[in-house]
Amino acid sequence: MEKKTYRDFDTYLKEFPDENGYFGRYGGRFLPDELIPAFEEITNAYETICQSAQFINELRRIRREFQGRPTPVYHCERLSNIVGSHCQIYVKREDLNHTGAHKLNHCMGEGLLAKYMGKKKLIAETGAGQHGVAIATAAAYFGMECDVYMGVVDIAKQAPNVTRMKLLGARVVPVSDGAGTLKEAVDAAFNAYLNEYHDAIYCIGSVLGPHPFPKMVRDFQAVIGIEAKEQFTEMTGHLPDAICASVGGGSNSAGLFIPFLSSPVDIYGVEPLGRGEKIGDNAASITYGKVGRLHGFESYLLQDEDGNAAPAYSIASGLDYPGVGPEHAYLHDVGRVQYVTVSDDEAMEAFYMLCRYEGIIPAIESSHAVAYAIRYAKEHKTGSILASLSGRGDKDIDYVVDNLGLGEKYNLK
């Protein structure tokens, strides 16, 4: 595929996805016949309301008065100095968004869409629990029922978020099939939606799934990059040299990347290397995957020898999905975004460093982006990099302390 530079992206949002939901060869809509009308209904509703001044103004009001947006860009001055480089590290503080992560950006949009469509129930899956908490919050805000499907492994790792979902009135449905993690939760949520689509809407938690969800979630999440671009320029007088974000399904990264595509900025998507390169030891779908179909869309997919979705692993529950959003696959192929990997150990060192040196406890998912920002700063003696701090680590602290301690192995100052 022909490689593209930032100069080729001035009209990108008007061209991608196409009317059938494709980003190049990736995306689309592969569904059971009985679900096609339901997704057509969602597509038609979204294409109508996304141009509606009433909808846009209501969403802006919600973001301002309920979510606490805009979230700030923060200069990690001490961390930058300790890294020992003149290259400066900045973070976009989505951990300060209400509910503690970027997920509420699209969940409130999806909830508002469901209200517009006359639906009475929100169905969702969750891995790390942040999407589950966000959708439960949206359901409480709009007065709807809510079912959240979650793998039993993630329920054990993310107990605080399970409690939060229940306090918000959601029904948390344990999923024990297969590996009992995010893929199986998505499977279960899709099956539930098959039986309830007349009265419910399935609120997919990332920029994946059948059209229109990759586009819709991207559009709702783009507020991250829109704010960050303006804030960084106001702080420094120029754009960052590079930006980075963690990539599982890819919602926080798409939200940061899209507004920067047509700007002279290097962009890095950070995939979870986990324990290593072997299938089953990581969740780096672009780095180690092949083109395949899963959950109604086509993209890069970790696959076993028979071409089925392979087990995915990451210490970060929100990243252990065996596929990646179709837009990321396209941006990789045309070379606009470079996709790199960070191991569990690198991510956890960054987790402890941000705690110790900046007073910020990040989500383990976000720590992957911080780890790459640290690596970049060490390799570039000048300039700046902006990382998406996609969520806070309250949900992770019990798991981290019980299994890894307080970071003693890293000899932090």
Side-chain angles (χ1 to χ4, degrees), residues 49-121:
I49 58 95
C50 75
Q51 303 297 331
S52 162
Q54 182 179 357
F55 179 89
I56 293 167
N57 288 332
E58 176 64 7
L59 187 58
R60 285 175 175 169
R61 185 192 67 78
I62 289 169
R63 286 175 169 171
R64 183 178 63 251
E65 298 176 6
F66 183 68
Q67 290 185 232
R69 301 204 69 90
T71 60
V73 165
Y74 171 71
H75 179 201
C76 297
E77 185 174 7
R78 188 159 182 252
L79 178 63
S80 302
N81 292 338
I82 286 170
V83 167
S85 167
H86 294 297
C87 182
Q88 299 299 297
I89 299 170
Y90 293 77
V91 291
K92 175 61 170 164
R93 296 288 308 273
E94 288 301 290
D95 59 312
L96 297 179
N97 196 33
H98 180 45
T99 74
H102 70 290
K103 293 293 187 180
L104 199 62
N105 297 332
H106 69 260
C107 286
M108 295 306 291
E110 289 174 333
L112 190 57
L113 175 65
K115 178 182 176 183
Y116 171 86
M117 295 173 66
K119 304 298 184 182
K120 298 185 174 13
K121 186 175 187 178

Side-chain angles (χ1 to χ4, degrees), residues 115-399:
K115 178 182 176 183
Y116 171 86
M117 295 173 66
K119 304 298 184 182
K120 298 185 174 13
K121 186 175 187 178
L122 305 181
I123 296 173
E125 84 295 326
T126 195
Q130 287 300 133
H131 178 239
V133 169
I135 207 67
T137 300
Y141 182 93
F142 291 110
M144 297 178 180
E145 296 178 51
C146 183
D147 286 349
V148 180
Y149 291 80
M150 190 172 189
V152 291
V153 171
D154 295 331
I155 286 175
K157 287 174 67 175
Q158 306 293 344
N161 272 349
V162 175
T163 300
R164 292 168 76 193
M165 286 183 267
K166 291 178 178 178
L167 284 171
L168 290 162
R171 185 171 73 105
V172 179
V173 184
V175 180
S176 58
D177 297 338
T181 56
L182 184 54
K183 174 192 173 292
E184 289 74 27
V186 177
D187 291 339
F190 254 110
N191 288 334
Y193 184 54
L194 270 169
N195 298 317
E196 301 185 66
Y197 61 85
H198 291 294
D199 298 314
I201 186 172
Y202 179 23
C203 299
I204 294 175
S206 194
V207 286
L208 42 78
H211 178 62
F213 281 94
K215 174 186 179 181
M216 188 164 70
V217 174
R218 173 199 74 183
D219 292 350
F220 288 140
Q221 288 293 345
V223 66
I224 300 172
I226 292 169
E227 289 179 1
K229 196 172 182 181
E230 180 179 343
Q231 291 165 327
F232 196 96
T233 304
E234 184 177 338
M235 290 173 72
T236 67
H238 53 78
L239 292 173
D241 292 282
I243 61 174
C244 67
S246 61
V247 179
S251 57
N252 93 96
S253 44
L256 179 65
F257 295 170
I258 296 304
F260 283 92
L261 289 179
S262 61
S263 299
V265 172
D266 292 332
I267 304 177
Y268 298 92
V270 186
E271 294 197 295
L273 182 61
R275 297 180 292 243
E277 298 180 1
K278 288 173 29 179
I279 292 293
D281 281 349
N282 65 73
S285 306
I286 290 179
T287 304
Y288 299 111
K290 296 179 291 186
V291 177
R293 293 178 185 174
L294 181 68
H295 297 141
F297 72 105
E298 184 165 278
S299 186
Y300 284 107
L301 174 68
L302 295 174
Q303 299 178 39
D304 61 21
E305 293 179 354
D306 297 322
N308 299 313
Y313 163 78
S314 170
I315 193 171
S317 295
L319 301 180
D320 62 358
Y321 184 73
V324 67
E327 189 162 21
H328 285 288
Y330 174 77
L331 293 173
H332 164 268
D333 284 6
V334 299
R336 182 61 187 99
V337 179
Q338 299 177 60
Y339 291 85
V340 297
T341 60
V342 160
S343 69
D344 281 357
D345 192 56
E346 290 175 285
M348 292 315 302
E349 183 175 15
F351 173 93
Y352 290 114
M353 289 178 75
L354 203 64
C355 290
R356 192 69 57 86
Y357 301 142
E358 294 293 349
I360 299 171
I361 302 175
I364 298 177
E365 291 79 10
S366 314
S367 301
H368 286 70
V370 176
Y372 183 75
I374 292 170
R375 185 195 302 173
Y376 180 97
K378 290 178 178 177
E379 294 172 351
H380 295 75
K381 298 306 179 185
T382 60
S384 59
I385 183 167
L386 170 67
S388 173
L389 194 67
S390 56
R392 64 176 179 240
D394 303 33
K395 66 185 180 59
D396 296 313
I397 55 175
D398 290 343
Y399 172 81

